[in-house]
Amino acid sequence: MIKTEIIGNIGVLTLARPWVHNALNFQMFKELKYYLEKWREDQDVKVIVLTGEGESFCSGGDLEEFSQLSKEEIADCFKQIKDILLALHQYPKPTVAALNGTAVGGGCELASACDFRLAHPAVQLGFVQIRLGITTGWGGANYLFKLLSRQKALELLLSGERISSIEAYKLGLIDKIFPTEDFLRHVLAWCRRFACQPLDAILLYKQTAQQADDPRFTLSQKITLEVERCLKVWGGQLGGPSLSAVNASFFTKKQEKVVGRV
Ligand SMILES: CC[C@H](C(=O)O)C(=O)SCCNC(=O)CCNC(=O)[C@H](O)C(C)(C)COP(=O)(O)OP(=O)(O)OC[C@H]1O[C@@H](n2cnc3c(N)ncnc32)[C@H](O)[C@@H]1OP(=O)(O)O
């Protein structure tokens, strides 16, 4: 129910239950967890893309399946799902929700847990939970409050209204709008700008990003750690290019330019 593919260092996870608009059942969460863990250490995967098959990105939790669970089972299920979304939010590699179509309910929670959200003009988004008499059950409101101002996030959550991707872009919820035609091709080209970079540097920037909003560190401590990270890659401690290799590459390029000028 989750299809996977690695395309040029980009791991693509496709929610594949299009007959129910990719409603997430428990089996899909298990698969999502499995692949996120598998790709965490995979040197070939530098960026993760989450997308959906068919006309929707995701219609949220599978209401059919969830309605058959007892209150205790639902509590256990939601606990496991919120842990998976948190792991996605804290993932060491960049994560991208490629909204190929409608995202509602838990579908918006899933997208909000990612680093980036890309969409096309026909996409609709809605934190519709309140219209079912419930609230976000997987941590999605907290991710939304990190992305939008308090009042804009509250407006979306309290109204349960669906908005277009263009409106969501204006709010800052969507980072980029691509044409509907060949949407995934545009997404992959956008992601390739990150995926072509050295993995060590990608991982270190993600660490710096995670730390940026961690209140346990002062700004001065965060900056010290940022500089230490740079020195690690500079010295080649992570298996990246060493100081001399960085210099060599710089001077080789410089020399090539000079030769080219003659
Ligand atoms: C569970 C908690 C969780 C959380 O956030 O914590 C949530 O996600 S709550 C929110 C749950 N999601 C919804 O309320 C969305 C429900 N679906 C829709 O609004 C629409 O289906 C939509 C907009 C996605 C597509 O509308 P459209 O008219 O194009 O299609 P249909 O409504 O006819 O749907 C076709 C088919 O899919 C089944 N379906 C859709 N969504 C779900 C779902 N979330 N769970 C289970 N099944 C779903 C729908 O019942 C139809 O089935 P069929 O047997 O063909 O009648």
Side-chain angles (χ1 to χ4, degrees):
M1 283 182 256
I2 294 214
K3 294 185 180 168
T4 65
E5 212 177 343
I6 299 176
I7 308 168
N9 295 120
I10 303 167
V12 182
L13 293 165
T14 306
L15 311 177
R17 289 177 82 217
W19 58 94
V20 285
H21 297 273
N22 301 319
L24 289 161
N25 62 11
F26 202 57
Q27 177 60 29
M28 286 165 95
F29 276 109
K30 277 202 226 157
E31 290 175 29
L32 199 55
K33 184 177 178 196
Y34 171 82
Y35 287 109
L36 286 175
E37 275 170 13
K38 184 171 168 189
W39 285 350
R40 182 180 281 267
E41 304 298 334
D42 189 331
Q43 301 279 314
D44 285 339
V45 178
K46 297 186 187 176
V47 177
I48 303 278
V49 169
L50 265 168
T51 193
E53 194 171 279
E55 57 190 74
S56 292
F57 170 68
C58 174
S59 60
D62 186 326
L63 296 173
E64 184 81 36
E65 183 178 285
F66 290 1
S67 67
Q68 286 157 25
L69 302 179
S70 69
K71 210 171 171 182
E72 291 70 33
E73 286 170 325
I74 275 286
D76 180 51
C77 184
F78 278 21
K79 188 189 163 301
Q80 292 190 50
I81 296 171
K82 68 100 177 134
D83 285 345
I84 297 169
L85 260 67
L86 188 59
L88 181 66
H89 186 67
Q90 295 175 334
Y91 206 65
K93 299 173 182 179
T95 54
V96 178
L99 305 183
N100 57 298
T102 302
V104 286
C108 278
E109 298 196 55
L110 182 64
S112 302
C114 294
D115 291 319
F116 302 99
R117 281 146 298 279
L118 315 177
H120 59 75
V123 167
Q124 295 260 317
L125 298 96
F127 283 83
V128 298
Q129 287 87 344
I130 201 160
R131 295 186 173 215
L132 301 175
I134 58 169
T135 54
T136 46
W138 304 341
N142 268 287
Y143 302 129
L144 193 64
F145 283 117
K146 284 177 87 172
L147 293 169
L148 304 185
S149 68
R150 179 188 168 110
Q151 66 271 31
K152 289 293 174 204
L154 267 178
E155 190 180 341
L156 289 182
L157 295 165
L158 291 173
S159 68
E161 278 165 8
R162 287 211 244 157
I163 58 168
S164 71
S165 56
I166 308 290
E167 285 173 82
Y169 176 74
K170 287 181 192 155
L171 290 177
L173 182 55
I174 294 290
D175 301 292
K176 188 94 188 160
I177 305 276
F178 289 117
T180 312
E181 206 175 306
D182 283 337
F183 174 65
L184 195 61
R185 192 175 57 78
H186 288 288
V187 167
L188 293 175
W190 190 85
C191 293
R192 206 155 289 133
R193 293 150 57 239
F194 311 152
C196 69
Q197 308 296 348
L199 181 59
D200 292 339
I202 294 174
L203 297 174
L204 293 178
Y205 267 135
K206 277 279 332 230
Q207 283 175 24
T208 303
Q210 314 272 22
Q211 231 159 42
D213 50 16
D214 189 333
R216 289 173 302 172
F217 298 96
T218 63
L219 179 61
S220 166
Q221 286 170 324
K222 287 177 197 172
I223 290 172
T224 302
L225 289 163
E226 179 185 342
V227 172
E228 278 172 11
R229 285 189 194 108
C230 177
L231 293 174
K232 266 194 204 171
V233 264
W234 190 270
Q237 285 177 25
L238 297 178
S242 67
L243 174 59
S244 52
V246 171
N247 283 341
S249 123
F250 174 74
F251 286 115
T252 311
K253 275 189 197 137
K254 210 168 164 171
Q255 219 161 24
E256 279 167 5
K257 258 193 197 166
V258 173
V259 173
R261 261 190 237 137
V262 179

